[in-house]
Amino acid sequence: MNPKHFDYSEADGVATLRLNRPERLNALTFDSYAELRDTFLALRSMDSVRSVLLTGTGRAFCSGGDVKDIIGRLFEVSDAELLAFTRMTCDLIENMRRLEKPVVGALNGTTCGAGAVMALACDVRIASDEAKIAFLFTKVGLCGADMGAAWLLPRVVGLGHASELLMGGEFISAERAAQIGLYNRVVPSGDLEAQAIEVARQHAIDLHRGVYVAIMGPTYETRAEYRMARLMGGDAVGMSTVPEVIVAQHAGLRVLGLSTITNV
């Protein structure tokens, strides 16, 4: 894989996607949105990859959509083109959540807008102590539900905290993000990369062994349980029978690794 709009590498079963526009705080363009969407889709079928690490370069993880490349141009497009762009941004988040491999976010700095939702779509968020975060859509005249944030965020931090973050759009510190459960771990900026890589490697090993890594709850015994947990933010537990697994599959839920129920 050789993407043009971010850096990509593989080692020890871990695919590292590194946003690399530090002069623009790793802001996304139309092209980088599309390439990230397509990359997360392609990762589903890459047997060499067992976990993914998503991070940025410089002072930011990702500052969202580029004001010059995206925001300005969207004022000039047709309704149909605006709808297509909106769907593309949502497809990126959906492809992250539907990836049957753990995704670790290493938040190296400022994380806001679309960057905050990408971080939210990761299974684990390890943040630098400098990684402030904001779902600032309402600050720029957009809907607080952008890119599925209103669905995902309450499942991570609870309805009260999610409402405050989405309606207010204010930045919170890394320390505060960890307090409310948005960040799994906060580390000194100099330690971030090493710790994030180690976590991603361990997830790759666990997946290779068929270990089921819970998102926000106990270990799941079937592929369908893990799949539902990924989509529901860890709320779904207790599926253990073949009919339950079949129902889950028909509902379009996700699976991961080996299963105690065969032919699922």
Side-chain angles (χ1 to χ4, degrees), residues 196-243:
I197 289 174
E198 180 56 33
V199 170
R201 285 175 177 167
Q202 187 58 55
H203 281 309
I205 292 170
D206 289 343
L207 181 58
H208 181 65
R209 292 175 176 171
V211 175
Y212 300 95
V213 184
I215 303 305
M216 292 172 63
T219 300
Y220 299 96
E221 296 181 353
T222 70
R223 291 187 294 173
E225 286 181 42
Y226 189 97
R227 188 181 224 188
M228 179 171 281
R230 288 266 293 170
L231 282 179
M232 298 299 292
D235 296 335
V237 296
M239 292 193 306
S240 58
T241 67
V242 171

Side-chain angles (χ1 to χ4, degrees), residues 44-238:
R44 295 186 196 179
S45 59
M46 293 178 59
D47 293 338
S48 61
V49 173
R50 297 189 296 276
S51 71
V52 178
L53 178 65
L54 179 62
T55 191
T57 304
R59 297 186 296 114
F61 170 70
C62 176
S63 59
D66 191 291
V67 174
K68 293 182 179 179
D69 183 82
I70 292 180
I71 306 302
R73 288 172 57 187
L74 287 179
F75 284 107
E76 303 171 356
V77 302
S78 66
D79 289 347
E81 291 172 308
L82 180 59
L83 177 60
F85 170 73
T86 302
R87 285 177 170 167
M88 177 175 67
T89 66
C90 292
D91 286 345
L92 165 58
I93 301 305
E94 181 178 8
N95 287 349
M96 291 180 67
R97 295 305 303 155
R98 288 192 177 276
L99 180 63
E100 299 174 8
K101 301 164 186 182
V103 181
V104 176
L107 312 184
N108 54 295
T110 300
T111 302
C112 58
V117 188
M118 288 171 60
L120 181 62
C122 295
D123 297 300
V124 178
R125 287 159 293 281
I126 303 174
S128 156
D129 52 11
E130 301 173 356
K132 62 181 181 179
I133 186 169
F135 296 85
L136 47 63
F137 302 109
T138 57
K139 293 290 187 182
V140 293
L142 299 176
C143 173
D146 213 48
M147 298 173 68
W151 193 90
L152 281 172
L153 191 58
R155 287 162 171 78
V156 176
V157 301
L159 182 59
H161 292 309
S163 297
E164 182 178 31
L165 291 170
L166 293 174
M167 290 192 291
E170 302 288 349
F171 274 99
I172 60 173
S173 67
E175 179 183 11
R176 178 60 178 159
Q179 288 174 349
I180 65 176
L182 181 53
Y183 291 170
N184 300 84
R185 187 187 309 177
V186 175
V187 302
S189 58
D191 298 337
L192 175 65
E193 185 165 350
Q195 291 202 30
I197 289 174
E198 180 56 33
V199 170
R201 285 175 177 167
Q202 187 58 55
H203 281 309
I205 292 170
D206 289 343
L207 181 58
H208 181 65
R209 292 175 176 171
V211 175
Y212 300 95
V213 184
I215 303 305
M216 292 172 63
T219 300
Y220 299 96
E221 296 181 353
T222 70
R223 291 187 294 173
E225 286 181 42
Y226 189 97
R227 188 181 224 188
M228 179 171 281
R230 288 266 293 170
L231 282 179
M232 298 299 292
D235 296 335
V237 296

